[in-house]
Amino acid sequence: MPLLPRIRVVSLAINLPGPMAAHRLTQFGATVTKIEPPQGDPVAHTHPELYRKLHRDQNVVVLDLKTDGGKAQLDKLFSEADLLLTSMRPRALTGLSLGWDELHRQFPRLCHVAIIGFPPPEENRSGHDLLYQAIAGLIEPPQLPRTLIADYAGSERAVSMSLALLLARANTGEAGFETVSLAEAAVPFADPIRYGATRVGGLLRGALPGYALYRARSGWIAVAALESSFLLTLQKALGLQTVNHETLTSIFLTRTAAEWEDFGKQHDLPIAAVLNLEV
């Protein structure tokens, strides 16, 4: 059953965090109208399949918000909407007459979640996911990140903030405005490193033989026998006297990754083949 069947969302957010948040809201049953500038969303040109995935349940409308006609159409959408999603810097919103005070005065029922890069007082500083991860300590140079942690974490924060504002409006009758900083969203992901869990040589990064990656005869496997009960089951299932990195490295080379995943299922062990998306 849809959780947000009567909620109408207008999104002015291009690139990734905003459209991902809007996509998530459509999964909850909200109706989303995405406003794109005449030049379109950059992701539609660079990664069209990802763009189609994120927008398949959204109504995409092209408007030039710098014209009177485009602004009038946007105001009509605002008058019927519950929530506005944006991903512009505050000065850009002000330039479009979309600052919160003016917006709230004209559309008192409209909540607004503004996705920004850096929190105040640097809310107008330019940035992208790479910067946010670098500042949070999530990058190991010279390798670039394998995924967009700040963008995806920020999108989920935008969803939760949207739900919180809608709930508050339902309880108080008052619409609200909140910002979601992508830089701040990345920071908690560094805590396992900061506190030693996934630091090199930490318990979850090499110290435990039962929690590691191993090469199989074909492919790689992830073994997550973290609890002593799992480790004991693994030891018995493999017929080993002791469990260490060396013995596991040797034995896991005897079968394919798929075979070891089946082995894990048979013995209720957390073992899985590592999916390689770059093949």
Side-chain angles (χ1 to χ4, degrees):
M1 183 180 71
L3 300 176
L4 302 173
R6 293 182 294 278
I7 296 299
R8 295 181 179 274
V9 180
V10 174
S11 173
L12 301 181
I14 59 174
N15 290 318
L16 284 177
M20 285 188 290
H23 173 63
R24 187 74 171 135
L25 290 170
T26 65
Q27 292 179 319
F28 290 151
T31 299
V32 176
T33 299
K34 161 80 173 301
I35 306 302
E36 292 188 359
Q39 64 270 29
D41 189 321
V43 178
H45 305 291
T46 59
H47 299 91
E49 291 185 11
L50 177 57
Y51 174 86
R52 285 193 291 271
K53 174 185 177 181
L54 296 178
H55 293 81
R56 62 190 175 201
D57 294 320
Q58 298 181 37
N59 179 32
V60 178
V61 177
V62 176
L63 293 179
D64 186 347
L65 300 183
K66 296 179 180 179
T67 66
D68 291 340
K71 189 64 169 63
Q73 291 183 65
L74 183 64
D75 287 349
K76 175 68 164 57
L77 290 169
F78 283 166
S79 68
E80 301 170 349
D82 301 283
L83 174 70
L84 169 64
L85 280 176
T86 62
S87 60
M88 306 175 196
R89 285 183 271 181
R91 67 185 179 205
L93 287 172
T94 301
L96 291 171
S97 300
L98 295 176
W100 172 244
D101 289 341
E102 185 174 353
L103 196 66
H104 187 52
R105 185 167 54 251
Q106 189 173 359
F107 306 101
R109 290 190 68 260
L110 185 66
C111 297
H112 181 189
V113 173
I115 301 171
I116 58 177
F118 294 94
E122 296 187 297
E123 63 268 33
N124 284 306
R125 178 182 174 186
S126 62
H128 274 297
D129 186 278
L130 181 61
L131 263 68
Y132 310 139
Q133 290 204 50
I135 292 169
L138 294 170
I139 293 177
E140 292 183 291
Q143 298 299 317
L144 287 167
R146 276 184 57 82
T147 192
L148 305 174
I149 290 175
D151 283 356
Y152 277 79
S155 74
E156 287 298 328
R157 282 197 174 192
V159 171
S160 59
M161 188 62 75
S162 298
L163 298 178
L165 286 177
L166 291 171
L167 179 60
R169 192 191 68 174
N171 289 335
T172 67
E174 182 69 19
F177 166 76
E178 292 290 343
T179 61
V180 170
S181 162
L182 299 178
E184 288 184 328
V187 171
F189 287 84
D191 281 351
I193 305 169
R194 183 172 293 108
Y195 296 107
T198 57
R199 193 175 296 169
V200 174
L203 289 180
L204 303 184
R205 197 174 174 196
L208 301 175
Y211 193 94
L213 299 175
Y214 291 95
R215 188 185 294 275
R217 192 173 72 215
S218 169
W220 286 76
I221 59 171
V223 180
L226 186 60
E227 292 81 4
S228 58
S229 58
F230 280 135
L231 195 62
L232 182 60
T233 300
L234 179 65
Q235 180 179 344
K236 290 181 178 178
L238 295 176
L240 298 176
Q241 293 298 315
T242 59
V243 175
N244 54 48
H245 286 97
E246 290 73 20
T247 56
L248 292 181
T249 296
S250 297
I251 200 166
F252 284 138
L253 284 170
T254 63
R255 302 186 192 182
T256 68
E259 289 171 335
W260 282 119
E261 184 167 315
D262 288 339
F263 174 88
K265 292 175 182 177
Q266 293 167 10
H267 295 277
D268 189 28
L269 285 166
I271 298 174
V274 176
L275 177 64
N276 186 352
L277 291 174
E278 298 191 18
V279 173

